[in-house]
């Protein structure tokens, strides 16, 4: 992680826009209870469970400290990552952009890595990858966890309300998370002290 921190600091000092990025998949489960049976019958409780989900990509620049969520059409994959990075590139004014991506398999796909070369679709973006198995060191990971924890205790009626609550929580705040100021991690379940 020291290498990534040093690289990010150097890029920021050179005037690059640096973002940490992550994907999240939210699920909504609706429950409908019917409790008024016809007259003369005993009350029956039935639950209609319907699961639906929405995936988001997001980017957290340490300079502005605001997150922009990008809803994705399908599950998280290389194609959706390309679309999110292309949108980020369009909406970012800086000439050079570095994006810290986790080590998901689709972030290393040839279809994506080839697009960062000069003259290609994502030529202004340079990807940076933290070491394997280091999700707690990605500041964007903490943002999405905070948002999910915030909306977890409220049962929304529709999927749109659930996804809207998540997006508005993220878009309506600034986050002081960067590589130097990450929230403390709970360690009580760690096998090594």
């Amino acid at each position: 992680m020291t290498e990534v921190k040093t690289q990010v600091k150097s890029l920021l000092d050179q005037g690059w826009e640096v973002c940490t990025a992550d994907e999240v998949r939210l699920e909504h489960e609706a429950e409908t209870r019917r409790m008024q049976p016809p007259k003369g019958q005993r009350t029956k409780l039935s639950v209609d469970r319907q699961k639906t989900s929405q995936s988001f990509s997001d980017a957290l620049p340490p300079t502005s400290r605001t997150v922009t969520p990008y809803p994705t059409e399908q599950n998280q994959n290389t194609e959706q990552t390309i679309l999110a990075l292309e949108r980020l590139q369009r909406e970012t004014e800086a000439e050079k952009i570095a994006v810290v991506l986790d080590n998901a398999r689709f972030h290393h796909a040839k279809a994506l890595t080839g697009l960062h070369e000069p003259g290609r679709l994502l030529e202004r973006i340079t990807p940076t990858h933290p070491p394997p198995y280091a999700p707690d060191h990605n500041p964007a990971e903490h943002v999405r966890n905070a948002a999910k924890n915030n909306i977890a205790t409220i049962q929304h009626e529709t999927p749109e309300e659930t996804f809207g609550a998540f997006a508005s929580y993220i878009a309506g705040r600034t986050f002081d998370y960067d590589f130097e100021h990450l929230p403390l991690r709970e360690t009580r379940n760690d096998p090594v002290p």
Side-chain angles (χ1 to χ4, degrees):
M1 274 316 295
T2 304
E3 183 180 322
V4 172
K5 290 178 187 180
T6 305
Q7 184 179 7
V8 166
K9 184 178 180 336
S10 171
L11 293 172
L12 285 170
D13 292 344
Q14 294 174 39
W16 286 51
E17 178 71 42
V18 178
C19 300
T20 57
D22 196 25
E23 296 87 17
V24 62
R25 179 184 169 110
L26 289 178
E27 290 187 349
H28 172 86
E29 185 174 47
E31 297 181 5
T32 306
R33 303 177 190 276
R34 293 180 177 81
M35 299 189 70
Q36 292 188 350
K39 190 173 183 178
Q41 291 185 6
R42 295 184 72 178
T43 301
K44 293 180 184 177
L45 178 66
S46 68
V47 179
D48 176 25
R49 294 182 184 258
Q50 239 181 350
K51 271 192 174 181
T52 186
S53 63
Q54 170 72 59
S55 294
F56 291 88
S57 293
D58 54 55
L60 171 64
T63 50
S64 69
R65 301 174 312 159
T66 59
V67 177
T68 305
Y70 301 116
T72 58
E73 296 287 325
Q74 304 156 356
N75 289 335
Q76 303 155 6
N77 57 32
T78 302
E79 182 181 334
Q80 295 301 317
T81 302
I82 291 168
L83 292 172
L85 289 175
E86 197 272 328
R87 184 173 171 190
L88 172 68
Q89 182 176 253
R90 256 191 335 234
E91 296 176 1
T92 303
E93 295 177 9
E95 185 61 32
K96 295 183 176 184
I97 308 163
V99 179
V100 180
L101 299 165
D102 61 17
N103 286 296
R105 186 178 240 169
F106 50 86
H107 290 162
H108 295 280
K110 289 180 184 178
L112 174 62
T113 56
L115 295 177
H116 298 294
E117 296 171 4
R120 302 294 304 269
L121 179 66
L122 302 174
E123 68 180 337
R124 289 177 40 216
I125 295 180
T126 300
T128 301
H129 299 280
Y133 308 110
D136 288 337
H137 297 287
N138 185 345
E141 188 94 24
H142 294 279
V143 171
R144 75 167 174 100
N145 286 343
K148 284 176 96 173
N149 289 339
N150 179 267
I151 67 167
T153 58
I154 301 167
Q155 176 66 41
H156 297 280
E157 293 295 320
T158 65
E160 292 77 20
E161 288 178 17
T162 301
F163 308 143
F166 176 82
S168 68
Y169 180 89
I170 287 180
R173 289 172 173 67
T174 58
F175 296 92
D176 288 329
Y177 301 157
D178 58 24
F179 288 106
E180 303 301 324
H181 304 96
L182 289 174
L184 293 175
R185 190 171 73 93
E186 217 175 282
T187 57
R188 70 172 180 231
N189 294 329
D190 283 358
V192 179

